[in-house]
Every structure is written in structure tokens, then in C-alpha cells.
Amino acid sequence: MPDFRIANFDLTAGGRLPEVTIAFQTYGHLSAARDNAILVTHGLTSSHLAAVPPTLDRRIGWGWEQVGPGLLYDTDRYFVISSNVLGSAYGSTCAASVNQATGRAWGRDFPFVTMEDVVHAQERLVRSFGITRLKAVAGCSLGGFQAYQWAVSFPDMMEKIIATDTAAHDSFDLACAIPGLIERFSGNPAWNDGDPAPSALVDELAALRVETLVRFGIREKLALVHSEPAHRDRLLKAEARDWAQIFDPWTLISMYRTAASFDVRDRLQDIRAPVLIVMADTDEWYPPAVGRALEALLHANGVDVRYHEVHSALGHYATTEEPEKWVPVARKFLEKPTTLTAS
């Protein structure tokens, strides 16, 4: 699996990472003119493995029905780059990575990474292919955060923005959840004053993951294919435990901090690419009211914006599990010729 390395990566909030590794995956072929690339971005606890057979919770394979031949991000036409987030547990530099200065995992000493840092690292990755302009940047949830950050940080580098189940700021207010998260972990004897051994809090992380997936709407998703409640419960717990063996507490806390700091509402006037907003009517994390308010803000800032709402029982899973409800709209949006608005 490929990765991209950056030496001496300066962070927006101060400090420097001596070396950054960004895991990524590509699908399709880059044209000779290098003008057919799309960047797809993933959610908070998902991965860059977008177009592989999906896990039950869609942390892997979230783009299984979106990236591939003949699909929305058609790999017969487009070169699709799927980048892991700086700070994520799926192969990029994160709190579980070794700090070369100490020879131990960064843990609680991992520096504060902003969404700008995430996108700056991605921009370096994209340019390493010789790409100067993307056909689109597209993402769901935290991936949508990245798409909006791209739109304001590098407004001339993309033709379109497709943002699903997301917002232009941390409307879910993850900042308020961070102290409780730390308190929850520190109440476990394995916490060891913030220096837990690897995998020491798997049970605690798994329980937290169950709670999160339930709020995402996984019970409704499982009920569509499994009639027995006890069987659904077993599947959910097994899925949560698989995830908990990949993530560690400080990586999760670091990711929360990155997401909580995101807010580009005062920079919407910098966006030059047309934006498609897709929301689901049962999503508790990013309800339709958030999307409609953002649509109005973008319109007021002179952005070419379109809003589409999906009716679904699947909450935050709606757009990944039922792409047929929005992909036709997105396909027309993606294929429509466009000109960047004036700066």
C-alpha cells in the first residue's frame, strides 16, 4: 500500500512534525494531461480504503458503490485519489506513531493538528502527481470538512465540491465531548496516567464505538438484513471490537480535536467552485437544517450552490448505504461544465 512522506512539516498552530506519512490509495489512471483527478476524503474514524469490500460500519469500503468503473467517480474516466487523514490510525502519522526524539509513541504529546494541516498535507500529495487542478474534492462527514477546507485554502485547485452529511464548521460540537472522553478513559485502571499500554483500553474503546455506531444509525441498517435482535447485537459488538483494535485513545482524542477546531464560515466568500450539498433527513449528527443554513450562507457569499436532501431511515449512514438516492444528482453536477467564479 503506498504512502507519501513529507519532511519537517510545519503545523498551523505552531510546532513541527519531523516527518509526516500520509497513507493513500488510487483508483483508475491519470491522464497524460493530468487533468482527470478527483480527491475523495473520508470520515472521522474511517480510512482511505474507499473502494474495497466494506466493513459493516463502513469505516472501510465507504465508497464501494461510488468509486469504480461506471460509478459516480468513474475509474474508467477519472483518476481517484483517496487520502488518509493526517492523525488517523490507518497508516498516516498519528498519536500512535513513534516520536523519533523519544523512541516511543507520541501519545498525549502528539501536536495539535488542524484541518488546514490535514489539507496542506493532501495538497502536497496531490501535487506530487503533477496535478495542478482537480475535477472535484468530495467527502462525507469529516470528509466534507476537508472538502470545504480545500475550497477555501486552495480555491483555484478544484472544479467542483461535493459535500455529504457535513457542515462548514463543527456543528456537532465535538469540543464539548473531549473532556468527557478523557475522563472516561482516565477512569479505567489501564489508563496509567495517560500513558496506557498498546491495546490496553480495547474494551473501553469498543463500548464507546457501539454507542457511536448506534447514534450513526447502525441498528436501523442491521435491521434491514438481520431479523434476530440478538444476532444484530453480536454483529455490532464484533464490529466495534475490530475498530477498537485499530484505534487507540490518544489517536481518537487527537482526531476529535482536529474536527472540533474546524470552522470556515468566515471564509465562504473565498470559495470559487460550485458546491453540491447532500444531507439525510434522519441524520442526527448533521441534520438537514445545518445543510439548508449553509446553502443560504454560501448563496449569500456568491457561491454557486445546490442542495439535495435524501429521505432515509438510516441516519448518518444514508448516503453511503443508499447512493441511488443522490448519485444521479451528483453525477449531473459533476459532469456539468463549469467556470470558476471570479475572486
Side-chain angles (χ1 to χ4, degrees):
M1 189 176 300
D3 57 44
F4 177 68
R5 297 179 187 275
I6 307 169
N8 298 318
F9 186 76
D10 291 323
L11 297 167
T12 305
R16 169 183 287 181
L17 283 166
E19 183 179 73
V20 160
T21 297
I22 301 296
F24 70 95
Q25 190 60 266
T26 64
Y27 307 93
H29 300 282
L30 184 61
S31 66
R34 303 179 189 275
D35 62 355
N36 68 330
I38 291 174
L39 177 70
V40 295
T41 54
H42 66 76
L44 183 75
T45 54
S46 300
S47 80
H48 57 296
L49 302 175
V52 299
T55 54
L56 183 63
D57 59 3
R58 288 288 188 148
R59 68 188 186 277
I60 292 172
W62 53 267
W64 180 246
E65 291 90 356
Q66 300 171 38
V67 179
L71 301 179
L72 173 60
Y73 307 117
D74 186 351
T75 51
D76 288 335
R77 299 178 57 188
Y78 302 119
F79 177 64
V80 181
I81 305 170
S82 181
S83 167
N84 192 224
V85 171
L86 173 60
S88 169
Y90 285 91
S92 294
T93 300
C94 67
S97 301
V98 173
N99 177 354
Q100 297 300 327
T102 65
R104 301 174 69 247
W106 282 95
R108 60 182 157 195
D109 296 325
F110 190 67
F112 173 44
V113 172
T114 67
M115 197 58 62
E116 288 181 272
D117 297 323
V118 168
V119 165
H120 288 161
Q122 289 174 344
E123 185 258 353
R124 298 272 292 273
L125 167 63
V126 168
R127 289 193 184 275
S128 74
F129 289 99
I131 297 164
T132 57
R133 192 178 182 196
L134 294 157
K135 283 290 182 184
V137 180
C140 175
S141 195
L142 184 87
F145 286 11
Q146 294 164 68
Y148 286 127
Q149 187 68 59
W150 263 92
V152 301
S153 293
F154 303 103
D156 296 314
M157 271 194 73
M158 78 291 297
E159 294 182 15
K160 303 283 176 64
I161 293 291
I162 299 176
T164 60
D165 305 317
T166 191
H169 71 294
D170 175 29
S171 62
F172 195 71
D173 199 10
L174 285 169
C176 288
I178 294 170
L181 197 59
I182 294 173
E183 182 179 3
R184 178 172 183 162
F185 290 141
S186 63
N188 190 307
W191 180 243
N192 190 30
D193 194 29
D195 189 24
S199 304
L201 278 86
V202 166
D203 290 344
E204 193 71 52
L205 283 162
L208 177 66
R209 183 64 171 173
V210 168
E211 295 164 18
T212 302
L213 294 180
V214 167
R215 190 154 193 178
F216 277 2
I218 199 167
R219 290 200 189 281
E220 290 78 6
K221 172 184 168 181
L222 287 171
L224 295 176
V225 291
H226 301 286
S227 59
E228 176 55 49
H231 181 56
R232 297 199 297 265
D233 189 57
R234 285 193 296 271
L235 289 173
L236 173 55
K237 289 179 178 178
E239 193 70 20
R241 191 166 187 84
D242 284 347
W243 172 86
Q245 290 172 334
I246 296 170
F247 264 78
D248 70 280
W250 284 115
T251 297
L252 183 62
I253 291 165
S254 172
M255 291 286 288
Y256 267 49
R257 287 172 173 159
T258 298
S261 70
F262 171 71
D263 191 342
V264 295
R265 287 174 295 178
D266 63 350
R267 299 180 63 186
L268 298 180
Q269 71 278 0
D270 295 335
I271 297 177
R272 301 184 64 200
V275 175
L276 172 64
I277 299 171
V278 180
M279 308 294 280
D281 60 354
T282 54
D283 189 347
E284 290 186 21
W285 284 64
Y286 300 103
V290 170
R292 295 191 201 106
L294 179 55
E295 178 194 21
L297 276 174
L298 287 168
H299 183 74
N301 279 276
V303 178
D304 180 0
V305 56
R306 177 166 184 184
Y307 176 84
H308 180 73
E309 191 169 310
V310 170
H311 175 63
S312 172
L314 299 182
H316 201 55
Y317 281 111
T319 57
T320 50
E321 294 296 328
E322 299 176 316
E324 69 279 3
K325 294 183 176 180
W326 65 277
V327 161
V329 172
R331 190 189 302 274
K332 289 180 182 179
F333 174 81
L334 184 60
E335 294 177 355
K336 182 180 178 181
T338 187
T339 303
L340 291 175
T341 60
S343 58

